[in-house]
Amino acid sequence: MTWGKPELDLSGADWQSGSRGVGEVQIAFVEGFIAMRNRERPDSTSLVFAPDEWRKFTLQARGGRLDPT
C-alpha cells in the first residue's frame, strides 16, 4: 500500500520539544514533511505528516477532539 510519503532519513533531523520544552513529544521538519516521535523512545517509529495532515492534527488536538487513550 502506498501512503504518499517517502521513506525519510530522520537520523540527522533537528528534533524540537514542545513550546515549553516539556512533555514527551518532539517534532522535526524534514524534506517538506513533519515527523513526530516520543522523546523517551527516540528509536521507536516516528509518525510522518504531510503539511495538510499536520494542520488538521494540530487543530483537532488544540480543540480537544483527540482521544489520548
Side-chain angles (χ1 to χ4, degrees):
M1 179 181 283
T2 301
W3 295 99
K5 296 178 190 131
E7 290 290 323
L8 299 176
D9 178 7
L10 301 176
S11 62
D14 180 21
W15 293 98
Q16 302 170 29
S17 294
S19 61
R20 295 183 185 100
V22 297
E24 295 183 7
V25 174
Q26 291 182 311
I27 62 169
F29 299 93
V30 180
E31 298 179 30
F33 292 89
I34 299 91
M36 183 171 69
R37 73 176 184 183
N38 183 326
R39 179 179 59 87
E40 299 293 323
R41 298 183 311 203
D43 294 329
S44 65
T45 302
S46 297
L47 298 175
V48 177
F49 297 87
D52 60 325
E53 295 171 322
W54 180 252
R55 178 168 170 68
K56 290 175 190 174
F57 173 78
T58 57
L59 288 173
Q60 288 181 356
R62 289 178 185 155
R65 295 187 302 268
L66 295 179
D67 182 1
T69 59

